[in-house]
């Protein structure tokens, strides 16, 4: 849990909204107002679609809110296996709708909207960007993905014998995917398997952070290449001495996210 005494410049509060299959909780992080109109960033925690929660996202969400600065809304999305796909991305879409509807009251700009996430949250962030593109109601301008889970087929992974210091095993990852996507056909759905999607054109500018000690760094970097091939402005960085789970609070990775959002969500003068 974030030490709130260490974030005196942020107003942090929880809000309950109607989700896809059940009520969900959002955690709002808003910098102390100085009259500046803020961009909006939706943040999704990790946990392999089956665990984790808002407390796990506290450090990253508060850092982005404070240092960008931005109004950050962390999404307590529904978890599998009780709530499998598409509950989580649809929860994310409802959170985005709520943020846009409440932007004015938070001194935020609904036209400067970004998404970010770690692990399963990285999957949900980029899938939400695709959903928003397709539905045409919300404009997402930037996506930042930290060690994202992108390939339910798990066919683009590193050799377990060659990657040292891993903290995410392939068997555990496969178990999480089975819980989230119980039907085999779902594992090719573009809103669940971004790396399988052939419709990447029109997605927002992307920052992808991978970790040296992560068996999934290959799929993250492969996705960056696919986005570039589709004409999406994309930055990708592999962080040395970092692990999959550790990337969620990695100072250099979060500094890159802040720099990325400052650039991509800057106010047009």
């Amino acid at each position: 849990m974030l030490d709130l005494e260490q974030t005196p410049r942020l107003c942090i509060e929880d809000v309950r909204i109607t989700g896809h299959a059940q009520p969900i909780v959002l955690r709002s992080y808003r910098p102390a107002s100085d009259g500046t109109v803020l961009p909006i960033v939706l943040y999704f925690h990790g946990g392999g679609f089956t665990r984790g929660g808002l407390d796990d996202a506290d450090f990253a969400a508060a850092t982005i809110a404070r240092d960008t600065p931005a109004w950050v809304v962390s999404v307590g999305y529904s978890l599998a296996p009780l709530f499998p796909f598409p509950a989580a991305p649809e929860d994310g879409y409802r959170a985005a709708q709520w943020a846009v509807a409440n932007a004015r009251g938070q001194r935020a700009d609904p036209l400067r909207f970004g998404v970010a996430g770690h692990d399963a949250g990285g999957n949900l962030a980029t899938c939400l960007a695709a959903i928003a593109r397709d539905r045409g109601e919300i404009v997402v301008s930037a996506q930042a993905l930290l060690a994202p889970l992108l390939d339910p087929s798990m066919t683009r992974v590193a050799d377990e014998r060659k990657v040292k210091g891993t903290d995410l095993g392939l068997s555990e990852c496969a178990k999480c995917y089975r819980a989230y996507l119980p039907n085999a056909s779902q594992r090719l759905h573009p809103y669940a398997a971004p790396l399988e999607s052939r419709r990447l054109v029109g997605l927002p500018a992307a920052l992808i952070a991978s970790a040296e000690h992560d068996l999934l760094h290959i799929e993250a970097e492969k996705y960056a290449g696919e986005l570039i091939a589709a004409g999406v402005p994309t930055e990708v960085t592999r962080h040395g001495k970092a692990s999959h789970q550790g990337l969620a609070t990695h100072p250099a990775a979060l500094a890159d996210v802040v720099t990325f959002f400052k650039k991509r969500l800057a106010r047009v003068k």
Side-chain angles (χ1 to χ4, degrees):
M1 181 70 177
L2 184 71
D3 185 350
L4 300 185
E5 293 183 358
Q6 299 302 311
T7 57
R9 296 166 48 201
L10 294 178
C11 173
I12 304 174
E13 58 183 346
D14 288 356
V15 179
R16 183 179 291 266
I17 70 167
T18 300
H20 176 72
Q22 64 166 345
I24 61 171
V25 178
L26 312 178
R27 183 164 294 167
S28 165
Y29 303 77
R30 184 172 52 79
S33 177
D34 61 359
T36 301
V37 177
L38 302 168
I40 302 171
V41 174
L42 231 59
Y43 188 87
F44 296 87
H45 66 79
F49 305 103
T50 63
R51 59 189 182 275
L54 294 172
D55 290 352
D56 298 300
D58 265 332
F59 186 82
T63 299
I64 295 167
R66 183 185 61 242
D67 295 348
T68 303
W71 178 35
V72 174
V73 178
S74 182
V75 184
Y77 54 89
S78 300
L79 299 176
L82 187 58
F83 298 102
F85 176 84
E90 291 293 350
D91 283 346
Y93 191 74
R94 283 161 175 75
Q97 290 176 310
W98 179 88
V100 168
N102 288 274
R104 177 171 294 183
Q106 299 290 335
R107 294 194 61 82
D109 183 354
L111 299 180
R112 294 155 59 209
F113 197 106
V115 293
H118 167 250
D119 180 78
N123 175 295
L124 296 175
T126 195
C127 290
L128 175 59
I131 293 170
R133 175 202 61 193
D134 295 344
R135 295 182 183 173
E137 180 186 14
I138 297 167
V139 177
V140 177
S141 300
Q143 54 176 324
L145 316 179
L146 302 170
L149 302 184
L150 301 167
D151 179 22
S153 75
M154 296 184 62
T155 57
R156 296 105 160 167
V157 296
D159 187 335
E160 288 187 278
R161 298 167 297 179
K162 296 181 180 179
V163 178
K164 308 296 183 183
T166 60
D167 56 8
L168 177 66
L170 296 183
S171 60
E172 175 63 21
C173 190
K175 180 180 178 181
C176 290
Y177 273 128
R178 287 194 298 271
Y180 178 56
L181 303 168
N183 300 322
S185 62
Q186 295 172 326
R187 295 166 200 169
L188 295 175
H189 196 292
Y191 297 164
L195 201 45
E196 300 290 353
S197 176
R198 302 276 65 86
R199 296 183 58 249
L200 301 180
V201 173
L203 288 179
L207 169 68
I208 298 178
S210 67
E212 178 183 5
H213 303 302
D214 182 8
L215 295 170
L216 304 185
H217 74 261
I218 290 177
E219 69 179 55
E221 293 160 14
K222 171 70 172 174
Y223 188 54
E226 295 289 334
L227 289 173
I228 291 169
V232 177
T234 303
E235 305 170 30
V236 59
T237 302
R238 185 189 301 177
H239 292 271
K241 300 182 180 179
S243 67
H244 180 89
Q245 306 296 357
L247 209 58
T249 56
H250 192 278
L254 291 178
D256 285 350
V257 171
V258 166
T259 299
F260 173 73
F261 281 139
K262 281 184 175 180
K263 176 175 64 177
R264 292 295 177 180
L265 302 179
R267 191 172 187 179
V268 178
K269 297 181 180 179

